[in-house]
Amino acid sequence: MDKVFLITGASTGIGAATARHAADAGYRVILAARSEDKLRGLADELGGDERALAVRCDVTEWEDQRALVQRTLDAYGRLDVAFANAGFGGARGFTAGTPEEWKEMVLTNVYGAALTIRAAHDALVEAKGQLVLTSSVAGRRALPGSFYSVTKHAVTAMGEAARQDFNDTGVRVTLIEPGAVDTPFFDTPPKIRALDADDIARAVLYAVSQPAHVDVNEILIRPTAQPA
Ligand code: NJP
């Protein structure tokens, strides 16, 4: 039975690129996000229901995440990789943006990732699978006035907390920590030569294709031109 790769935030950017690379590597893929039309287009491109399923999921809703994993198991019978990748950023400065944007950022980037772990936990243990989380360079060093950086530090901590929690189950845990990637994450494209989503997808596939005794815990990738 082919292995199964679930991705949140699969409608665009890093998630969509990783879905393409995972499908090329022989995984069946579960594509989750709120934009169902984009997910369906990608699922068709990757071979339709036999190979790829589009599932509407708001990661801030526990019921959506529970149903996402159930749908995965009903359709494909197993879950080998859960990639908690959904997230977004915001303006820097502790008086920038709105308090509501902060709340939504915590719910999506932090609570949403934790719900993905909770929902996928038992199926990952069953498969001796792998959890992959998208943190950030901003999750390793604080950026000035960046509430986004605060949420990504929480994701970095979550990866290590989950690694220790899964220890002795055979489940591996990988944090992906990108610098600037040219995706719809940015309203205007980065001024430097940024990374492409494919550059991150290759790193994810590297981590999940290691032998069972090798747990790649963190991969931090900057564009060559990124100073900090
Ligand atoms: O951005 P983008 P990236 N429920 O905007 C989804 C991190 N990162 O690929 O729901 C479910 O193309 C959204 O889908 P939709 C970043 O923090 C990036 O660059 O349809 N899904 C879309 O598929 C994030 O964690 C950079 O709107 C939700 C996806 O999230 C990850 O990389 C640098 C959702 C966002 O795709 C992917 O971002 C870095 C919700 N409530 C870390 N809210 C960078 N690009 O430079 C959003 O260090 N999504």
Side-chain angles (χ1 to χ4, degrees), residues 19-71:
R20 291 187 175 99
H21 283 248
D24 279 353
Y27 286 92
R28 298 206 275 191
V29 292
I30 305 284
L31 312 169
R34 296 163 303 180
S35 308
E36 263 180 301
D37 50 340
K38 289 183 190 153
L39 295 179
R40 267 199 229 100
L42 183 55
D44 288 346
E45 176 194 323
L46 299 180
D49 284 2
E50 277 300 304
R51 305 303 309 169
L53 277 187
V55 183
R56 193 202 169 276
C57 171
D58 181 338
V59 295
T60 68
E61 296 292 338
W62 167 239
E63 197 43 48
D64 282 10
Q65 296 238 32
R66 203 197 52 71
L68 171 67
V69 171
Q70 193 55 53
R71 179 89 191 281

Side-chain angles (χ1 to χ4, degrees), residues 188-211:
T188 52
K191 290 193 177 63
I192 57 167
R193 169 62 169 101
L195 299 167
D196 300 320
D198 282 329
D199 298 325
I200 304 303
R202 288 199 310 279
V204 175
L205 268 291
Y206 163 78
V208 302
S209 61
Q210 297 309 302

Side-chain angles (χ1 to χ4, degrees), residues 152-166:
K152 289 297 183 178
H153 274 73
V155 176
T156 301
M158 199 180 322
E160 174 59 11
R163 188 191 69 77
Q164 293 183 36
D165 199 38
F166 277 121

Side-chain angles (χ1 to χ4, degrees), residues 8-16 32-39 57-61 83-89 104 107-109 134-139 148 152 176-186 190 194 197 200 221:
T8 70
S11 58
T12 54
I14 292 167
R34 296 163 303 180
S35 308
E36 263 180 301
D37 50 340
K38 289 183 190 153
L39 295 179
C57 171
D58 181 338
V59 295
T60 68
E61 296 292 338
F83 185 19
N85 167 72
F88 72 96
E104 201 52 39
L107 288 175
T108 304
N109 297 3
T134 307
S135 178
S136 175
V137 167
Y148 172 73
K152 289 297 183 178
I176 303 291
E177 298 160 345
V181 189
D182 189 5
T183 71
F185 178 89
F186 293 109
I200 304 303
I221 310 171

